[in-house]
Amino acid sequence: MTATDQARTSPAADGGTEKANAFVGLSRVMLLGFVRDKGTLFFTLALPLMFLVLFGVLYKGGGTSHVKVAEVGQVKLLDQLKDQKDGPLSVLEITTFSDEESALTKVKKGELDGLVTEGPDGKLVLRFSQADQVKAGTVQGIMNSLVQTANQMASHATPAFTLDSTKVEDDSTKPIQYLTPGLLAYAVSMGAVYGASFTLVTWRKKRVLRRLRLAPISAGTIVGARVLVSVIVALAQTALFLAVAQLDYFGLKLTGNWWLVIPLVVCATLAFMSIGLVTGSLAKSEESANGINQLIILPMSFLGGAFIPLDFAPSWLQDVSRALPLRYLITPAKSVLSQGGGIADALPAMGILLGFTVVLSAVAWRFFNWDDA
Amino acid sequence: MTEAITADGIRKRYGDVQAVDGVSLSVAVGEFYGLLGPNGAGKTTTLEILEGIREADEGRVELLGMSPWPRNAKLLPRIGVQFQASAFFNKLTARETIRTFASFYGIGPKAADTMLERVGLTESAGVLTDKMSGGQAQRLSIACALVHDPELVFLDEPTTGLDPQARRNLWDLLRDINAEGRTVVLTTHYLDEAEILCDRVSVMDHGKVLKTGAPATLVREIDDTVRIRVESGMLTADRARDLLTTAGATFSNLEDDGTTLALSTHAPGPVLSMLAEENALRGLEVRGATLEDVFLQLTGREYRA
């Protein structure tokens, strides 16, 4: 040290005891970079949410369809039904026609499942189409039971046999139950893959990485800040998706262990980030990083069951999906969110996701470069 | 004198290109040192090896008594580095940028804002860095290199692409930084800049240091050389060659770029009287040697940035 060193005015000294933290500083930079980038906001929040709303609306009408019958003229038995809400009407949709011919045409075309008229002496006449065998059977069965019940009541006799039926827990999947975890997984993968890869590519291109290397901060601080910000983004996506899916219109009902989706999303975020680290290490420009990311995320989303439920997929596709991390978020998330799944469903998947993270991070480290030159 | 930097025989090769070919240099504490040379001379690579961003293929470097390679966390807070391209984060304002860099060194926002004021950017503190002018970006970049009060500062072509006024303003800032006792190492391809700012310069070309010394000393070594310029087109090529013969000194050089006829000579008297005889004095300019002449003498080429 020379005398002039002592004389030099230190800007740091002016700050007094005021301290700052590199981890906080970096996290803030990354969060601001995310919030201020309209493109990123759109692709990680708005677009997946639009998919959720769109698919939610499209698939809403789906599920069990009613048996549709035409009532031509007055049919006493059917008219009685209209007063009782819980009866066969829950599966029966009755349309009244005055013109028998046009109703018959509709039955022949398969637009209606049956045509009911009342003949003389309380006779119920049903004409049905054989086009859909299941529906043909259903419509005959319903009409038959209507007649039987009416007969039995008219005879005023005590029935010899009765049927007592109770509902069991509904294991079938409503569209919103697989749409929510599927599209959430898509959203989280977009956010985490892009977040990690674009940070790497732009920081390398703009020489920020190089500048960071010359600052006394560890690689752990940089990675830690990126993990924190990606997890914050992913949890914000989760909150948003669950809030929208639970609206009355979409009707997602969360079951007891739904909170397990939080550690699942965190583990999945790490796995997706490590994909982003690999692509960000390999790609030289934002454009090529974008291309590689899409080439990974889109097939992974389709094969992993983000848009279409895997339950109906052929077995080879099921096998392919097992090699992709997305599946290990979607399947357990579906289970814990709305089907009463528990820790046993979530824990193995979390382990697998962390395994992906370790392997992919090692690959990324192998290709990592501070500089393009 | 204490040395801030010593480098001994550093070499760096990229494929077929020997970017740095055996550079040795030493910079004293508190010195303003310049690495001078045209584009591609190897200045930036030399600087990067000194900073510890690149590993030299051969040779030894010591900064403040420590080796910069591999990455040395003890050394890093004591050096400040400004890059040729502005290395800023996306979507941040000037204030946010410098506060972030300050945080890496545990320095709070108040001190960061003071530094911003120092480089005259307080009024543009809220401007996004990608919306700033070239001069503003350079000043911010320098502020970011200085925010942690380093002893040794590296500046890579800080005035490239700036208008003359912005360059002059930046020179004042750089002189102040050095006057505070910091050692400053600067690369530049502007000879005037090196002459005005630097205590000592090393002239580089083709990855080698050709000569090192105070600009005034380097100039004095060739100060019997006088540079004469007139408008071109007033003499035929033959007459111009005669002129060179008349000049007939140990060192002379004639160039005609179509607008200016320039020559350096040890015998200005005969040349000037000859030009007067030919009535070819339009646009006459006579001056003593500058670093440009030093470069010319060292490389045999006219200096072109």
Side-chain angles (χ1 to χ4, degrees), chain B residues 111-272:
Chain B
D113 291 351
T114 309
M115 195 65 229
L116 210 56
E117 198 187 331
R118 172 92 198 273
V119 296
L121 284 178
T122 306
E123 271 161 43
S124 341
V127 179
L128 289 176
T129 53
D130 50 0
K131 300 265 193 299
M132 295 197 328
S133 72
Q136 288 177 324
Q138 287 291 15
R139 276 184 283 157
L140 178 61
S141 173
I142 290 170
C144 290
L146 293 176
V147 72
H148 57 290
D149 193 25
E151 297 160 46
L152 175 55
V153 184
F154 293 95
L155 305 166
D156 195 5
E157 303 191 358
T159 62
T160 299
L162 298 189
D163 62 66
Q165 187 54 48
R167 272 181 87 197
R168 256 159 247 284
N169 291 344
L170 204 53
W171 285 350
D172 290 338
L173 174 67
L174 298 183
R175 264 195 288 247
D176 289 347
I177 290 166
N178 180 240
E180 288 163 6
R182 285 177 237 269
T183 310
V184 181
V185 177
L186 162 112
T187 67
T188 181
H189 52 227
Y190 297 116
L191 292 152
D192 55 342
E193 186 165 289
E195 217 166 343
I196 288 169
L197 291 174
C198 297
D199 297 326
R200 232 156 35 97
V201 295
S202 285
V203 182
M204 280 191 80
D205 200 25
H206 299 304
K208 287 192 168 89
V209 171
L210 302 175
K211 194 134 195 158
T212 301
T217 313
L218 294 184
V219 169
R220 206 174 304 125
E221 280 174 20
I222 53 163
D223 72 353
D224 54 340
T225 311
V226 173
R227 196 156 172 79
I228 300 169
R229 291 170 194 254
V230 290
E231 270 181 30
S232 71
M234 292 184 293
L235 293 172
T236 62
D238 285 346
R239 290 298 293 147
R241 220 167 292 126
D242 289 346
L243 214 60
L244 201 59
T245 324
T246 313
T250 48
F251 171 66
S252 55
N253 180 293
L254 177 100
E255 284 198 13
D256 190 344
D257 64 4
T259 46
T260 311
L261 179 86
L263 62 85
S264 304
T265 176
H266 294 247
V271 175
L272 283 171

Side-chain angles (χ1 to χ4, degrees), chain B residues 56-71:
Chain B
D57 297 336
E58 274 176 58
R60 197 184 52 83
V61 181
E62 244 179 42
L63 256 57
L64 306 166
M66 291 178 260
S67 170
W69 186 278
R71 194 169 178 265

Side-chain angles (χ1 to χ4, degrees), chain A residues 228-312:
Chain A
L228 177 75
V229 171
S230 286
V231 167
I232 289 174
V233 170
L235 292 180
Q237 290 171 317
T238 310
L240 196 62
F241 267 66
L242 292 187
V244 170
Q246 285 188 89
L247 293 177
D248 280 346
Y249 182 78
F250 298 111
L252 180 73
K253 299 265 181 297
L254 296 182
T255 54
N257 282 318
W258 70 269
W259 58 269
L260 277 170
V261 80
I262 293 169
L264 272 168
V265 162
V266 171
C267 293
T269 303
L270 292 175
F272 297 141
M273 274 185 66
S274 59
I275 295 179
L277 288 179
V278 174
T279 63
S281 296
L282 291 174
K284 292 271 177 278
S285 66
E286 282 96 338
E287 290 77 13
S288 64
N290 185 29
I292 302 173
N293 289 344
Q294 286 299 353
L295 223 52
I296 292 171
I297 293 174
L298 275 180
M300 180 169 78
S301 299
F302 276 106
L303 300 178
F307 304 126
I308 316 148
L310 278 177
D311 306 349
F312 313 116

Side-chain angles (χ1 to χ4, degrees), chain A residues 184-205:
Chain A
L184 173 64
Y186 169 69
V188 169
S189 68
M190 288 279 279
V193 171
Y194 273 87
S197 80
F198 271 49
T199 300
L200 263 187
V201 173
T202 53
W203 283 16
R204 187 171 54 232
K205 232 175 81 179

Side-chain angles (χ1 to χ4, degrees), chain A residues 17-200:
Chain A
T17 54
E18 196 188 31
K19 280 270 160 49
N21 181 286
F23 180 75
V24 175
L26 271 175
S27 305
R28 196 163 154 275
V29 164
M30 293 175 190
L31 205 56
L32 285 175
F34 173 78
V35 181
R36 286 182 187 168
D37 191 335
K38 291 193 182 68
T40 313
L41 279 181
F42 176 77
F43 281 107
T44 51
L45 287 176
L47 185 72
L49 204 60
M50 275 163 57
F51 281 164
L52 181 74
V53 171
L54 190 68
F55 289 156
V57 171
L58 282 179
Y59 292 164
K60 201 175 151 53
T64 48
S65 49
H66 289 101
V67 174
K68 289 177 222 154
V69 294
E71 177 187 354
V72 179
Q74 280 254 311
V75 182
K76 226 196 288 166
L77 262 178
L78 292 184
D79 290 341
Q80 281 171 9
L81 282 178
K82 288 176 184 166
D83 301 330
Q84 36 188 128
K85 252 280 174 236
D86 287 335
L89 259 200
S90 57
V91 289
L92 206 59
E93 193 181 313
I94 303 168
T95 324
T96 317
F97 280 80
S98 51
D99 175 14
E100 192 171 334
E101 271 312 304
S102 68
L104 198 61
T105 319
K106 285 196 187 256
V107 174
K108 282 178 178 162
K109 278 186 187 163
E111 289 170 31
L112 291 172
D113 301 306
L115 186 160
V116 184
T117 49
E118 196 173 274
D121 308 326
K123 191 194 270 178
L124 203 66
V125 182
L126 169 71
R127 274 174 287 176
F128 61 90
S129 153
Q130 194 68 30
D132 183 333
Q133 304 236 355
V134 176
K135 288 222 169 127
T138 312
V139 74
Q140 289 180 78
I142 291 171
M143 289 304 150
N144 198 27
S145 92
L146 280 180
V147 173
Q148 296 298 340
T149 315
N151 279 337
Q152 193 255 322
M153 277 169 69
S155 72
H156 297 291
T158 318
F161 302 99
T162 56
L163 177 66
D164 187 13
S165 60
T166 44
K167 255 204 247 174
V168 297
E169 191 52 56
D170 186 8
D171 267 344
S172 72
T173 316
K174 271 184 275 169
I176 196 69
Q177 284 178 297
Y178 65 75
L179 282 176
T180 308
L183 290 169
L184 173 64
Y186 169 69
V188 169
S189 68
M190 288 279 279
V193 171
Y194 273 87
S197 80
F198 271 49
T199 300
L200 263 187

